[in-house]
Amino acid sequence: MTAGPLNPQIDTSKPHPARVYDWLLGGKDNYPVDQAVGEKLPPEARANAARNRAFMHRASAWLAHRGVDQFLDVGTGIPTSPNLHQIVQAITPTARIVYADNDPIVLRHAEALLVSNPEGATDYIHADVRQPQLILDRARELLDFDRPIALSLIALMHFLPDDQEPYSITRTLVDALPSGSYLVLSHGTADQHPELRVETEAAYKKGAIALRMRTRSEVEPFFDGLELIAPGLVPAAEWYQEEPAPENERSGFYVGVARVK
């Protein structure tokens, strides 16, 4: 595994979405400023984070079983076992995975924990999703862009407000992928929890974290031009394939998997 800048500084005075998410999942790699944001979120946030993580596991395994052996995971977050490479390499040991995140604490843990098995390979890019061309250039050092790649954008794009062009960034990443590739995306929403919108947005705003939850119709454009795989764009608990159906509960995420034509 290679990394980005040497010894990037960890700012413990400001909360970071990856560390808040770690706290929601019961992790220990966060700071009081991150915990303060998490504690102000509605209690449902923990369950929503767990359902979102479970969707990532199901979608990644399904793609690996269908022969996809290259993954680009942008907005990796703090490693929480099992990680994406552990899921897919258990199915395809030779799979290659590139992780990208902008939080230095993720880099620190990635170097120790996001390590491939001997047959496959992993790499880590210290970069922000708002630098899509940099991510693509670095990813090409390990991934073969002449063969299908699964692009994973899990619980990420709702941290980009409209003026930061989340749709355009997603399009830049997707347009670089060859035919037969996939986009795996989950996005925060208040459609099924409308009574929690104000509380959730206020908690992140107090931590100076931009949050733009979107409706289903606002999430749909991320998949423009792609072939959505059944069951389509659905709440997180409703996306599954061969597995037994997860418990159908209200969700704070829309999720989807779509094929690049």
Side-chain angles (χ1 to χ4, degrees):
M1 173 177 288
T2 59
L6 295 176
N7 300 317
Q9 295 299 307
I10 298 173
D11 186 351
T12 62
S13 68
K14 298 177 182 177
H16 188 281
R19 302 195 302 262
V20 175
Y21 190 60
D22 177 72
W23 184 88
L24 290 172
L25 290 172
K28 305 298 182 184
D29 299 308
N30 48 75
Y31 297 95
V33 290
D34 309 303
Q35 298 164 21
V37 173
E39 288 169 353
K40 289 181 174 62
L41 291 170
E44 290 83 353
R46 283 184 179 271
N48 279 325
R51 282 191 285 270
N52 178 68
R53 184 80 179 174
F55 158 71
M56 185 275 283
H57 291 166
R58 294 194 298 273
S60 300
W62 182 77
L63 288 169
H65 279 301
R66 297 188 70 83
V68 178
D69 63 356
Q70 300 190 107
F71 290 77
L72 174 56
D73 181 15
V74 183
T76 302
I78 293 166
T80 304
S81 185
N83 296 290
L84 190 152
H85 74 281
Q86 293 167 316
I87 297 289
V88 301
Q89 288 183 344
I91 299 163
T92 306
T94 57
R96 295 185 163 216
I97 297 90
V98 172
Y99 293 104
D101 203 284
N102 70 344
D103 184 14
I105 197 174
V106 175
L107 169 60
R108 188 181 74 188
H109 289 285
E111 290 175 322
L113 299 175
L114 300 182
V115 179
S116 173
N117 67 27
E119 298 91 343
T122 61
D123 196 3
Y124 180 83
I125 303 168
H126 183 233
D128 193 289
V129 68
R130 289 164 291 194
Q131 302 168 294
Q133 198 56 56
L134 171 62
I135 291 172
L136 291 169
D137 291 344
R138 286 286 310 280
R140 286 189 174 93
E141 296 175 12
L142 183 67
L143 304 181
D144 179 358
F145 276 68
D146 291 325
R147 297 194 304 109
I149 296 169
L151 169 65
S152 181
L153 301 176
I154 299 295
L156 175 63
M157 302 314 286
H158 50 253
F159 292 116
L160 293 190
D162 295 341
D163 62 3
Q164 293 184 12
E165 302 184 341
Y167 302 112
S168 176
I169 289 171
T170 302
R171 179 54 50 195
T172 297
L173 293 167
V174 169
D175 283 350
L177 304 178
S179 177
S181 296
Y182 290 86
L183 169 64
V184 182
L185 181 141
S186 70
H187 194 292
T189 184
D191 280 4
Q192 293 197 332
H193 294 285
E195 74 281 8
L196 303 180
R197 175 187 288 275
V198 173
E199 187 178 355
T200 300
E201 291 180 341
Y204 279 104
K205 184 177 181 180
K206 189 166 185 178
I209 297 175
L211 178 68
R212 173 64 165 90
M213 291 190 289
R214 293 182 170 92
T215 64
R216 188 181 189 282
S217 63
E218 291 173 320
V219 177
E220 284 179 331
F222 287 107
F223 296 97
D224 280 354
L226 305 179
E227 177 188 351
L228 268 167
I229 304 300
L233 179 60
V234 294
E238 296 180 23
W239 199 100
Y240 64 97
Q241 298 295 326
E242 293 82 8
E243 311 92 349
E247 186 174 352
N248 193 358
E249 301 172 298
R250 291 195 302 169
S251 173
F253 289 91
Y254 280 118
V255 305
V257 177
R259 185 177 183 275
V260 177
K261 299 176 184 178

